[in-house]
Amino acid sequence: GNFSIPPSPSLFPDTRQRHPMTMMGEEGARGAPIMMQNEAERLVEDLKPVKLEEIGTKQWTKYHQTLERLNMQAQLSVMHQSDEFVVEALIDHEKIDVLIHDLIVTEAWKTHVLPKVADELASTHYVKLYLIAYHESIVVSLLEKAFYTPTAVAAGGDLLVELTDYCYRKAVRLQAEAQEGKAPDAKTAQEEVAMGERERLDEQEGVISFGCACSAITLIRFLTDNAKALPLGVLSRMLTDQDVLQTLVPLLDQPPWKRFKGGKAQVFSDGRWGDQPAEEARRLTKMDAQVWLALNNLLLAPECRAKYEWNEHRKGGVMRLSKFFNEILVDQLPVLADLRRFVESLALHAPPAPTESRSLVIEQLPELWTGLMKRDWGKEAKAFAERVQGTSAADDLEEMKGLASMYDAIDLEQFMEDPKCVVCGKPAEKRCSRCKLDWYCGRKCQVKAWKKHQPLCDALCESVKKQEQMGVGAGE
Protein backbone atom coordinates (compact mmCIF):
# COMPACT_ATOMS: atom_id res chain seq x y z
CA GLY A 1 0.00 0.00 0.00
CA ASN A 2 0.99 3.66 0.34
CA PHE A 3 3.61 2.90 2.95
CA SER A 4 6.03 5.67 3.78
CA ILE A 5 9.18 5.45 5.88
CA PRO A 6 8.47 6.34 9.53
CA PRO A 7 9.38 9.84 10.59
CA SER A 8 12.90 10.18 11.89
CA PRO A 9 13.67 10.87 15.57
CA SER A 10 14.29 14.47 14.56
CA LEU A 11 10.52 14.99 14.46
CA PHE A 12 10.28 14.30 18.15
CA PRO A 13 12.63 16.68 20.00
CA ASP A 14 12.28 16.70 23.77
CA THR A 15 11.35 20.30 24.58
CA ARG A 16 11.30 20.17 28.37
CA GLN A 17 13.51 22.61 30.22
CA ARG A 18 16.39 20.29 30.94
CA HIS A 19 18.84 23.11 31.57
CA PRO A 20 18.82 26.92 31.39
CA MET A 21 19.59 26.87 27.67
CA THR A 22 16.66 24.67 26.60
CA MET A 23 13.55 26.21 25.10
CA MET A 24 10.23 25.45 26.70
CA GLY A 25 7.59 23.55 24.74
CA GLU A 26 5.28 25.45 22.45
CA GLU A 27 2.27 26.91 24.16
CA GLY A 28 -1.05 25.71 22.90
CA ALA A 29 0.32 22.77 20.93
CA ARG A 30 -2.53 21.21 19.03
CA GLY A 31 -3.41 17.66 18.12
CA ALA A 32 -5.31 14.74 19.56
CA PRO A 33 -3.46 12.36 21.88
CA ILE A 34 -2.06 9.17 20.35
CA MET A 35 -3.64 7.13 23.14
CA MET A 36 -5.41 7.55 26.45
CA GLN A 37 -3.86 6.72 29.81
CA ASN A 38 -5.63 3.38 30.25
CA GLU A 39 -4.37 2.15 26.85
CA ALA A 40 -0.83 3.26 27.68
CA GLU A 41 -1.01 1.37 30.98
CA ARG A 42 -2.12 -1.78 29.18
CA LEU A 43 0.53 -1.53 26.47
CA VAL A 44 3.33 -0.88 28.95
CA GLU A 45 2.23 -3.70 31.22
CA ASP A 46 2.48 -6.14 28.28
CA LEU A 47 6.06 -5.16 27.36
CA LYS A 48 8.50 -8.08 27.59
CA PRO A 49 12.25 -8.38 26.89
CA VAL A 50 13.00 -8.95 23.21
CA LYS A 51 15.10 -11.95 22.22
CA LEU A 52 17.68 -11.66 19.46
CA GLU A 53 15.99 -14.30 17.34
CA GLU A 54 12.67 -12.42 17.49
CA ILE A 55 14.02 -9.31 15.74
CA GLY A 56 12.31 -8.78 12.40
CA THR A 57 9.47 -11.23 13.01
CA LYS A 58 5.78 -10.35 12.73
CA GLN A 59 5.59 -10.33 16.54
CA TRP A 60 8.56 -7.95 16.73
CA THR A 61 6.95 -5.56 14.21
CA LYS A 62 3.87 -5.29 16.44
CA TYR A 63 6.15 -4.63 19.41
CA HIS A 64 7.95 -1.96 17.36
CA GLN A 65 4.61 -0.28 16.61
CA THR A 66 3.73 -0.32 20.30
CA LEU A 67 6.97 1.40 21.28
CA GLU A 68 6.59 3.92 18.46
CA ARG A 69 3.11 4.90 19.65
CA LEU A 70 4.27 5.11 23.26
CA ASN A 71 7.19 7.29 22.22
CA MET A 72 4.97 9.62 20.21
CA GLN A 73 2.54 9.97 23.10
CA ALA A 74 5.39 10.63 25.52
CA GLN A 75 6.61 13.37 23.21
CA LEU A 76 3.15 14.91 22.97
CA SER A 77 2.99 15.01 26.77
CA VAL A 78 6.30 16.89 26.81
CA MET A 79 5.20 19.32 24.10
CA HIS A 80 1.89 20.01 25.84
CA GLN A 81 3.51 20.00 29.31
CA SER A 82 0.73 17.66 30.36
CA ASP A 83 0.52 14.50 32.45
CA GLU A 84 3.42 12.23 31.41
CA PHE A 85 1.47 9.03 31.92
CA VAL A 86 3.64 6.95 29.56
CA VAL A 87 6.78 7.58 31.62
CA GLU A 88 4.83 7.02 34.83
CA ALA A 89 3.55 3.69 33.50
CA LEU A 90 7.08 2.59 32.55
CA ILE A 91 8.21 3.29 36.12
CA ASP A 92 5.14 1.90 37.90
CA HIS A 93 5.20 -1.36 35.92
CA GLU A 94 8.99 -1.68 36.26
CA LYS A 95 9.66 -1.67 32.52
CA ILE A 96 12.74 0.58 32.42
CA ASP A 97 14.96 -2.50 32.48
CA VAL A 98 12.94 -3.97 29.58
CA LEU A 99 13.78 -0.90 27.48
CA ILE A 100 17.46 -1.13 28.37
CA HIS A 101 17.48 -4.83 27.48
CA ASP A 102 15.82 -4.04 24.13
CA LEU A 103 18.35 -1.28 23.44
CA ILE A 104 21.36 -3.56 23.99
CA VAL A 105 19.93 -6.42 21.92
CA THR A 106 19.08 -4.04 19.07
CA GLU A 107 22.55 -2.47 19.15
CA ALA A 108 24.17 -5.92 19.03
CA TRP A 109 21.97 -6.90 16.03
CA LYS A 110 22.79 -3.69 14.16
CA THR A 111 26.50 -4.10 14.84
CA HIS A 112 26.88 -7.76 13.91
CA VAL A 113 23.92 -8.90 11.79
CA LEU A 114 23.00 -5.88 9.65
CA PRO A 115 26.40 -5.63 7.87
CA LYS A 116 26.19 -9.34 7.01
CA VAL A 117 22.69 -9.26 5.49
CA ALA A 118 22.48 -5.77 3.99
CA ASP A 119 23.92 -6.68 0.57
CA GLU A 120 21.55 -9.60 0.20
CA LEU A 121 18.37 -8.06 1.57
CA ALA A 122 18.55 -4.29 1.01
CA SER A 123 16.95 -4.45 -2.44
CA THR A 124 14.09 -6.78 -1.42
CA HIS A 125 13.50 -6.07 2.28
CA TYR A 126 14.70 -2.49 2.66
CA VAL A 127 11.87 -1.34 4.89
CA LYS A 128 12.37 -4.25 7.30
CA LEU A 129 16.08 -3.47 7.72
CA TYR A 130 15.37 0.23 8.11
CA LEU A 131 12.74 -0.40 10.79
CA ILE A 132 15.19 -2.41 12.88
CA ALA A 133 17.85 0.30 12.56
CA TYR A 134 15.26 2.96 13.41
CA HIS A 135 14.03 0.94 16.40
CA GLU A 136 17.17 1.87 18.36
CA SER A 137 16.28 5.56 18.17
CA ILE A 138 12.77 4.90 19.52
CA VAL A 139 14.10 3.08 22.58
CA VAL A 140 16.76 5.74 23.23
CA SER A 141 14.14 8.47 22.90
CA LEU A 142 11.85 6.79 25.45
CA LEU A 143 14.73 6.32 27.90
CA GLU A 144 15.79 9.94 27.43
CA LYS A 145 12.31 11.15 28.35
CA ALA A 146 12.03 8.72 31.26
CA PHE A 147 15.45 9.55 32.75
CA TYR A 148 14.44 13.17 33.19
CA THR A 149 12.71 11.66 36.23
CA PRO A 150 15.17 10.48 38.94
CA THR A 151 12.84 7.61 39.85
CA ALA A 152 13.32 6.15 36.37
CA VAL A 153 17.12 6.14 36.78
CA ALA A 154 16.81 4.19 40.02
CA ALA A 155 14.38 1.80 38.32
CA GLY A 156 17.11 0.73 35.88
CA GLY A 157 18.58 -1.50 38.58
CA ASP A 158 21.31 -3.95 37.58
CA LEU A 159 20.86 -3.18 33.88
CA LEU A 160 22.19 0.34 34.42
CA VAL A 161 25.67 -1.11 33.91
CA GLU A 162 24.54 -2.17 30.42
CA LEU A 163 23.22 1.32 29.71
CA THR A 164 26.37 3.09 30.93
CA ASP A 165 28.46 0.81 28.71
CA TYR A 166 26.15 1.62 25.78
CA CYS A 167 26.53 5.35 26.41
CA TYR A 168 30.30 5.00 26.70
CA ARG A 169 30.50 3.16 23.35
CA LYS A 170 28.45 5.91 21.72
CA ALA A 171 30.58 8.67 23.26
CA VAL A 172 33.74 6.98 21.96
CA ARG A 173 32.14 6.78 18.52
CA LEU A 174 31.32 10.49 18.58
CA GLN A 175 34.88 11.27 19.59
CA ALA A 176 36.29 9.17 16.73
CA GLU A 177 33.91 10.71 14.17
CA ALA A 178 34.85 14.21 15.34
CA GLN A 179 38.56 13.48 14.94
CA GLU A 180 38.03 11.98 11.48
CA GLY A 181 35.46 14.57 10.40
CA LYS A 182 32.88 11.87 9.68
CA ALA A 183 29.71 13.42 11.09
CA PRO A 184 26.83 12.38 8.79
CA ASP A 185 26.12 14.82 6.00
CA ALA A 186 22.42 14.83 5.22
CA LYS A 187 21.63 14.27 1.56
CA THR A 188 19.18 16.36 -0.41
CA ALA A 189 15.93 14.73 -1.49
CA GLN A 190 17.22 14.59 -5.07
CA GLU A 191 20.43 12.84 -3.97
CA GLU A 192 18.44 10.31 -1.96
CA VAL A 193 16.26 9.42 -4.95
CA ALA A 194 19.40 8.74 -7.01
CA MET A 195 20.88 6.40 -4.37
CA GLY A 196 20.70 2.62 -4.51
CA GLU A 197 18.90 0.74 -1.74
CA ARG A 198 22.10 -0.44 -0.01
CA GLU A 199 23.67 3.01 -0.18
CA ARG A 200 20.49 4.61 1.14
CA LEU A 201 20.31 2.09 3.99
CA ASP A 202 23.92 2.82 5.01
CA GLU A 203 23.24 6.55 4.83
CA GLN A 204 20.11 6.41 6.98
CA GLU A 205 21.62 3.98 9.48
CA GLY A 206 24.53 6.39 9.92
CA VAL A 207 22.18 9.31 10.55
CA ILE A 208 20.16 7.26 13.06
CA SER A 209 23.26 6.06 14.90
CA PHE A 210 24.63 9.61 15.11
CA GLY A 211 21.37 10.81 16.65
CA CYS A 212 21.40 7.91 19.12
CA ALA A 213 24.98 8.77 20.09
CA CYS A 214 23.98 12.37 20.80
CA SER A 215 21.07 11.11 22.91
CA ALA A 216 23.54 8.92 24.80
CA ILE A 217 25.36 12.08 25.92
CA THR A 218 22.09 13.34 27.39
CA LEU A 219 21.63 9.99 29.16
CA ILE A 220 25.12 10.33 30.66
CA ARG A 221 24.11 13.74 31.97
CA PHE A 222 20.96 12.29 33.58
CA LEU A 223 22.87 9.33 35.03
CA THR A 224 25.43 11.66 36.62
CA ASP A 225 22.64 13.98 37.81
CA ASN A 226 21.56 11.01 39.92
CA ALA A 227 24.98 9.68 40.92
CA LYS A 228 23.72 9.12 44.44
CA ALA A 229 21.08 6.67 43.17
CA LEU A 230 23.46 4.66 40.97
CA PRO A 231 24.73 1.28 42.23
CA LEU A 232 28.29 1.65 43.52
CA GLY A 233 29.65 -0.73 40.91
CA VAL A 234 28.05 1.24 38.07
CA LEU A 235 29.43 4.61 39.20
CA SER A 236 32.86 3.09 39.81
CA ARG A 237 32.85 1.60 36.29
CA MET A 238 31.95 4.97 34.75
CA LEU A 239 34.71 6.78 36.62
CA THR A 240 37.50 4.21 36.54
CA ASP A 241 37.14 1.55 33.84
CA GLN A 242 35.50 3.79 31.24
CA ASP A 243 36.74 7.16 32.52
CA VAL A 244 33.72 8.85 30.98
CA LEU A 245 35.04 12.20 32.19
CA GLN A 246 38.10 12.05 29.94
CA THR A 247 35.94 10.78 27.08
CA LEU A 248 33.67 13.83 27.23
CA VAL A 249 36.36 16.53 27.37
CA PRO A 250 37.55 16.09 23.73
CA LEU A 251 33.95 16.52 22.54
CA LEU A 252 34.20 20.19 23.54
CA ASP A 253 37.43 20.58 21.54
CA GLN A 254 35.94 19.02 18.40
CA PRO A 255 32.16 18.96 18.78
CA PRO A 256 30.75 16.56 16.15
CA TRP A 257 27.39 18.31 16.40
CA LYS A 258 28.83 21.41 14.68
CA ARG A 259 29.83 21.69 11.05
CA PHE A 260 30.12 24.00 8.05
CA LYS A 261 28.06 23.25 4.96
CA GLY A 262 27.86 25.47 1.93
CA GLY A 263 29.79 28.14 3.81
CA LYS A 264 27.20 28.19 6.62
CA ALA A 265 27.66 27.09 10.22
CA GLN A 266 25.24 24.33 11.23
CA VAL A 267 24.35 22.74 14.57
CA PHE A 268 22.81 19.35 15.31
CA SER A 269 20.07 19.87 17.87
CA ASP A 270 16.86 18.01 18.74
CA GLY A 271 17.73 15.34 16.20
CA ARG A 272 18.28 17.56 13.16
CA TRP A 273 20.87 19.79 11.53
CA GLY A 274 20.02 23.47 11.26
CA ASP A 275 21.77 26.67 10.25
CA GLN A 276 23.32 28.66 13.09
CA PRO A 277 22.79 32.42 12.72
CA ALA A 278 26.00 34.47 12.99
CA GLU A 279 24.65 36.29 16.05
CA GLU A 280 24.36 32.95 17.88
CA ALA A 281 27.92 31.83 17.17
CA ARG A 282 28.85 32.15 20.85
CA ARG A 283 25.59 30.77 22.11
CA LEU A 284 25.91 27.45 23.92
CA THR A 285 24.29 24.64 21.94
CA LYS A 286 22.09 22.10 23.69
CA MET A 287 24.64 19.34 23.10
CA ASP A 288 27.47 21.49 24.48
CA ALA A 289 25.33 22.20 27.53
CA GLN A 290 24.68 18.50 28.13
CA VAL A 291 28.43 17.79 28.06
CA TRP A 292 29.16 20.66 30.45
CA LEU A 293 26.47 19.57 32.90
CA ALA A 294 27.76 15.98 32.84
CA LEU A 295 31.32 17.20 33.47
CA ASN A 296 30.09 19.41 36.27
CA ASN A 297 28.51 16.36 37.93
CA LEU A 298 31.52 14.10 37.39
CA LEU A 299 33.97 16.63 38.85
CA LEU A 300 31.95 18.18 41.68
CA ALA A 301 29.35 15.65 42.86
CA PRO A 302 30.55 14.23 46.21
CA GLU A 303 29.78 10.65 45.09
CA CYS A 304 32.01 11.08 42.02
CA ARG A 305 34.83 12.92 43.78
CA ALA A 306 35.00 10.16 46.39
CA LYS A 307 35.75 7.56 43.69
CA TYR A 308 37.76 9.36 41.02
CA GLU A 309 41.45 8.45 41.05
CA TRP A 310 43.57 11.30 39.72
CA ASN A 311 46.89 11.07 37.87
CA GLU A 312 48.87 13.54 35.77
CA HIS A 313 47.17 12.45 32.54
CA ARG A 314 43.70 12.93 33.99
CA LYS A 315 44.68 16.25 35.54
CA GLY A 316 45.99 17.45 32.17
CA GLY A 317 42.77 16.41 30.47
CA VAL A 318 40.62 18.38 32.88
CA MET A 319 42.94 21.39 32.68
CA ARG A 320 42.06 21.61 28.98
CA LEU A 321 38.67 22.92 30.08
CA SER A 322 40.22 26.16 31.37
CA LYS A 323 40.42 27.65 27.86
CA PHE A 324 36.65 27.50 27.49
CA PHE A 325 35.75 29.43 30.63
CA ASN A 326 34.66 33.03 30.17
CA GLU A 327 31.85 35.25 31.34
CA ILE A 328 29.67 34.41 28.36
CA LEU A 329 29.78 30.69 29.16
CA VAL A 330 29.09 31.17 32.86
CA ASP A 331 26.29 33.65 32.14
CA GLN A 332 24.56 30.99 30.05
CA LEU A 333 25.16 28.20 32.58
CA PRO A 334 25.69 29.84 35.99
CA VAL A 335 26.09 26.40 37.59
CA LEU A 336 29.55 26.26 35.97
CA ALA A 337 30.94 28.98 38.24
CA ASP A 338 32.02 26.41 40.84
CA LEU A 339 33.48 24.17 38.16
CA ARG A 340 35.52 27.09 36.85
CA ARG A 341 37.02 27.70 40.29
CA PHE A 342 37.78 23.98 40.67
CA VAL A 343 39.60 23.77 37.31
CA GLU A 344 41.57 26.93 38.07
CA SER A 345 42.61 25.48 41.43
CA LEU A 346 44.11 22.42 39.70
CA ALA A 347 46.86 24.66 38.32
CA LEU A 348 47.93 25.56 41.85
CA HIS A 349 47.13 22.50 43.92
CA ALA A 350 47.15 18.75 43.64
CA PRO A 351 43.72 17.26 42.86
CA PRO A 352 41.84 15.74 45.79
CA ALA A 353 42.53 12.09 46.54
CA PRO A 354 39.62 9.63 46.42
CA THR A 355 38.10 8.90 49.81
CA GLU A 356 36.74 5.48 48.90
CA SER A 357 38.91 2.50 48.05
CA ARG A 358 38.03 0.74 44.81
CA SER A 359 38.87 -2.59 46.40
CA LEU A 360 35.79 -2.23 48.58
CA VAL A 361 33.46 -2.02 45.56
CA ILE A 362 32.05 -5.17 43.98
CA GLU A 363 32.61 -4.77 40.23
CA GLN A 364 29.48 -5.01 38.06
CA LEU A 365 29.93 -6.39 34.56
CA PRO A 366 27.65 -6.09 31.49
CA GLU A 367 26.53 -9.71 31.44
CA LEU A 368 23.90 -9.18 28.72
CA TRP A 369 26.35 -7.60 26.28
CA THR A 370 29.08 -10.11 27.14
CA GLY A 371 26.69 -12.99 26.48
CA LEU A 372 25.58 -11.51 23.16
CA MET A 373 29.18 -11.13 22.02
CA LYS A 374 29.64 -14.90 22.36
CA ARG A 375 26.98 -15.58 19.73
CA ASP A 376 27.85 -17.07 16.35
CA TRP A 377 26.96 -14.00 14.32
CA GLY A 378 27.40 -15.68 10.98
CA LYS A 379 24.82 -18.23 12.03
CA GLU A 380 22.52 -15.52 13.39
CA ALA A 381 22.75 -13.56 10.13
CA LYS A 382 21.97 -16.66 8.05
CA ALA A 383 18.97 -17.51 10.24
CA PHE A 384 17.65 -13.94 9.97
CA ALA A 385 17.97 -13.90 6.17
CA GLU A 386 16.18 -17.25 5.87
CA ARG A 387 13.45 -16.10 8.24
CA VAL A 388 12.82 -12.88 6.34
CA GLN A 389 12.99 -14.45 2.90
CA GLY A 390 10.65 -17.21 4.03
CA THR A 391 7.74 -14.86 4.60
CA SER A 392 5.11 -14.67 1.89
CA ALA A 393 4.35 -11.56 -0.15
CA ALA A 394 0.89 -11.46 1.45
CA ASP A 395 2.41 -11.45 4.95
CA ASP A 396 4.83 -8.68 4.00
CA LEU A 397 2.00 -6.62 2.54
CA GLU A 398 -0.13 -7.12 5.64
CA GLU A 399 2.78 -6.01 7.82
CA MET A 400 3.36 -2.88 5.75
CA LYS A 401 -0.34 -2.04 5.73
CA GLY A 402 -0.36 -2.31 9.52
CA LEU A 403 2.52 0.13 9.79
CA ALA A 404 0.97 2.48 7.25
CA SER A 405 -2.40 2.48 9.02
CA MET A 406 -0.69 3.30 12.31
CA TYR A 407 0.94 6.41 10.87
CA ASP A 408 -2.19 7.34 8.91
CA ALA A 409 -4.12 7.41 12.20
CA ILE A 410 -1.67 9.91 13.71
CA ASP A 411 -1.51 13.60 12.91
CA LEU A 412 2.27 13.68 12.35
CA GLU A 413 2.27 17.37 11.48
CA GLN A 414 1.67 18.24 15.14
CA PHE A 415 5.23 17.03 15.81
CA MET A 416 6.78 19.19 13.12
CA GLU A 417 8.08 22.72 13.15
CA ASP A 418 6.20 25.31 11.11
CA PRO A 419 7.08 24.67 7.44
CA LYS A 420 9.54 26.95 5.68
CA CYS A 421 9.75 27.76 1.98
CA VAL A 422 12.45 25.58 0.37
CA VAL A 423 13.50 28.52 -1.81
CA CYS A 424 13.64 31.58 0.44
CA GLY A 425 13.19 30.14 3.94
CA LYS A 426 10.16 32.26 4.79
CA PRO A 427 7.10 30.71 6.52
CA ALA A 428 5.20 28.57 4.02
CA GLU A 429 1.51 27.76 3.72
CA LYS A 430 1.45 25.89 0.40
CA ARG A 431 3.16 22.71 -0.76
CA CYS A 432 3.45 20.70 -3.95
CA SER A 433 0.03 19.22 -4.68
CA ARG A 434 1.54 16.16 -6.38
CA CYS A 435 4.24 14.81 -4.03
CA LYS A 436 3.25 16.75 -0.88
CA LEU A 437 6.97 17.07 -0.07
CA ASP A 438 8.28 20.60 -0.64
CA TRP A 439 6.71 23.72 0.88
CA TYR A 440 6.55 27.21 -0.66
CA CYS A 441 5.62 30.69 0.52
CA GLY A 442 3.83 31.42 -2.77
CA ARG A 443 3.59 30.71 -6.48
CA LYS A 444 6.65 32.81 -7.35
CA CYS A 445 9.00 30.57 -5.35
CA GLN A 446 7.24 27.41 -6.54
CA VAL A 447 7.74 28.36 -10.19
CA LYS A 448 11.35 29.26 -9.48
CA ALA A 449 11.99 25.83 -7.92
CA TRP A 450 10.03 23.73 -10.42
CA LYS A 451 12.89 22.91 -12.80
CA LYS A 452 14.94 21.49 -9.93
CA HIS A 453 11.97 19.93 -8.15
CA GLN A 454 10.27 18.25 -11.14
CA PRO A 455 12.57 15.18 -11.48
CA LEU A 456 12.14 14.34 -7.79
CA CYS A 457 8.40 15.00 -7.91
CA ASP A 458 7.98 12.75 -10.96
CA ALA A 459 10.04 9.98 -9.36
CA LEU A 460 8.06 10.06 -6.12
CA CYS A 461 4.70 10.09 -7.86
CA GLU A 462 5.75 7.18 -10.08
CA SER A 463 6.91 5.25 -7.01
CA VAL A 464 3.56 5.77 -5.26
CA LYS A 465 1.72 4.71 -8.41
CA LYS A 466 3.72 1.46 -8.59
CA GLN A 467 3.09 0.75 -4.89
CA GLU A 468 -0.64 1.23 -5.39
CA GLN A 469 -0.61 -1.15 -8.37
CA MET A 470 1.32 -3.75 -6.32
CA GLY A 471 -1.18 -3.39 -3.49
CA VAL A 472 -4.13 -3.93 -5.85
CA GLY A 473 -2.41 -6.91 -7.43
CA ALA A 474 -1.72 -8.50 -4.06
CA GLY A 475 -5.30 -7.90 -2.98
CA GLU A 476 -6.62 -9.66 -6.05
Side-chain angles (χ1 to χ4, degrees), residues 161-360:
V161 70
E162 304 282 355
L163 183 61
T164 56
D165 271 34
Y166 170 87
C167 293
Y168 173 68
R169 289 190 292 271
K170 295 299 183 182
V172 170
R173 172 174 177 159
L174 281 178
Q175 188 183 118
E177 289 181 347
Q179 292 173 350
E180 298 172 8
K182 289 186 177 180
D185 189 13
K187 297 286 191 298
T188 64
Q190 288 84 353
E191 289 172 333
E192 286 195 3
V193 167
M195 294 167 68
E197 299 294 353
R198 174 61 200 271
E199 186 183 1
R200 183 180 295 111
L201 180 65
D202 288 343
E203 171 74 17
Q204 293 188 331
E205 195 283 324
V207 172
I208 290 169
S209 292
F210 181 78
C212 290
C214 290
S215 293
I217 300 299
T218 302
L219 289 175
I220 290 175
R221 177 264 171 110
F222 290 147
L223 288 165
T224 56
D225 273 350
N226 297 279
K228 187 181 296 185
L230 297 180
L232 294 178
V234 172
L235 187 57
S236 178
R237 187 173 179 82
M238 291 181 70
L239 293 167
T240 306
D241 297 335
Q242 299 167 350
D243 201 354
V244 171
L245 196 160
Q246 299 295 334
T247 305
L248 293 177
V249 171
L251 295 178
L252 294 175
D253 276 322
Q254 293 179 295
W257 42 83
K258 295 180 182 179
R259 70 182 184 188
F260 279 91
K261 184 178 181 182
K264 294 182 178 180
Q266 292 190 327
V267 173
F268 187 84
S269 180
D270 289 334
R272 64 171 67 84
W273 287 100
D275 292 341
Q276 184 181 42
E279 61 271 17
E280 295 186 6
R282 302 191 69 178
R283 180 182 174 87
L284 202 62
T285 70
K286 293 181 181 180
M287 287 305 305
D288 288 329
Q290 298 291 13
V291 173
W292 275 113
L293 291 169
L295 290 172
N296 188 68
N297 293 331
L298 289 165
L299 287 167
L300 298 186
E303 297 78 16
C304 297
R305 297 183 68 168
K307 294 177 177 60
Y308 196 61
E309 299 177 1
W310 289 89
N311 55 38
E312 287 303 314
H313 170 72
R314 289 177 169 178
K315 177 180 176 180
V318 174
M319 288 291 294
R320 289 163 61 185
L321 297 176
S322 59
K323 64 184 177 184
F324 296 105
F325 286 110
N326 53 51
E327 296 307 316
I328 295 176
L329 174 64
V330 177
D331 283 346
Q332 293 179 84
L333 276 181
V335 71
L336 297 183
D338 288 341
L339 180 61
R340 181 181 190 177
R341 286 190 288 269
F342 174 79
V343 173
E344 290 173 348
S345 72
L346 288 178
L348 305 174
H349 309 287
T355 58
E356 293 183 12
S357 173
R358 191 183 178 201
S359 61
L360 300 178

Side-chain angles (χ1 to χ4, degrees), residues 17-274:
Q17 189 171 2
R18 299 194 179 282
H19 54 78
M21 293 300 303
T22 304
M23 299 296 291
M24 293 295 290
E26 296 181 28
E27 301 243 345
R30 299 186 304 276
I34 308 299
M35 64 184 69
M36 304 307 291
Q37 183 171 352
N38 58 346
E39 183 184 2
E41 291 274 355
R42 178 179 58 79
L43 292 175
V44 168
E45 191 173 6
D46 289 340
L47 294 179
K48 293 179 175 60
V50 172
K51 297 178 181 179
L52 187 71
E53 52 271 20
E54 293 175 338
I55 292 180
T57 62
K58 188 175 182 179
Q59 178 184 1
W60 178 89
T61 303
K62 291 181 178 179
Y63 170 76
H64 170 85
Q65 291 181 55
T66 295
L67 283 193
E68 176 74 300
R69 295 182 67 230
L70 288 170
N71 184 45
M72 288 183 177
Q73 179 55 55
Q75 181 59 34
L76 275 183
S77 296
V78 171
M79 293 168 62
H80 295 187
Q81 300 181 41
S82 58
D83 183 17
E84 297 184 35
F85 54 81
V86 171
V87 169
E88 291 173 2
L90 289 169
I91 297 171
D92 293 343
H93 292 287
E94 300 180 346
K95 298 298 182 178
I96 297 297
D97 57 347
V98 172
L99 293 181
I100 297 175
H101 183 282
D102 185 9
L103 180 64
I104 302 306
V105 171
T106 303
E107 182 198 13
W109 189 95
K110 285 179 59 178
T111 303
H112 297 283
V113 175
L114 182 58
K116 290 179 169 60
V117 301
D119 283 334
E120 181 181 3
L121 300 179
S123 60
T124 55
H125 295 82
Y126 172 83
V127 172
K128 176 76 73 176
L129 298 182
Y130 175 85
L131 284 180
I132 301 173
Y134 171 68
H135 186 78
E136 180 184 7
S137 66
I138 297 175
V139 183
V140 168
S141 182
L142 269 173
L143 285 171
E144 191 177 355
K145 295 177 183 69
F147 274 33
Y148 182 71
T149 305
T151 312
V153 177
D158 291 339
L159 282 184
L160 285 176
V161 70
E162 304 282 355
L163 183 61
T164 56
D165 271 34
Y166 170 87
C167 293
Y168 173 68
R169 289 190 292 271
K170 295 299 183 182
V172 170
R173 172 174 177 159
L174 281 178
Q175 188 183 118
E177 289 181 347
Q179 292 173 350
E180 298 172 8
K182 289 186 177 180
D185 189 13
K187 297 286 191 298
T188 64
Q190 288 84 353
E191 289 172 333
E192 286 195 3
V193 167
M195 294 167 68
E197 299 294 353
R198 174 61 200 271
E199 186 183 1
R200 183 180 295 111
L201 180 65
D202 288 343
E203 171 74 17
Q204 293 188 331
E205 195 283 324
V207 172
I208 290 169
S209 292
F210 181 78
C212 290
C214 290
S215 293
I217 300 299
T218 302
L219 289 175
I220 290 175
R221 177 264 171 110
F222 290 147
L223 288 165
T224 56
D225 273 350
N226 297 279
K228 187 181 296 185
L230 297 180
L232 294 178
V234 172
L235 187 57
S236 178
R237 187 173 179 82
M238 291 181 70
L239 293 167
T240 306
D241 297 335
Q242 299 167 350
D243 201 354
V244 171
L245 196 160
Q246 299 295 334
T247 305
L248 293 177
V249 171
L251 295 178
L252 294 175
D253 276 322
Q254 293 179 295
W257 42 83
K258 295 180 182 179
R259 70 182 184 188
F260 279 91
K261 184 178 181 182
K264 294 182 178 180
Q266 292 190 327
V267 173
F268 187 84
S269 180
D270 289 334
R272 64 171 67 84
W273 287 100

Side-chain angles (χ1 to χ4, degrees), residues 190 420-425 430-432 434-435 437-458:
Q190 288 84 353
K420 300 289 193 301
C421 177
V422 296
V423 178
C424 65
K430 303 179 183 298
R431 61 179 169 180
C432 178
R434 297 179 70 219
C435 68
L437 183 65
D438 283 353
W439 287 81
Y440 304 96
C441 61
R443 180 165 178 77
K444 182 178 179 180
C445 279
Q446 185 175 11
V447 171
K448 185 177 180 180
W450 177 243
K451 185 176 180 180
K452 183 178 179 181
H453 175 69
Q454 184 179 9
L456 170 66
C457 188
D458 290 342

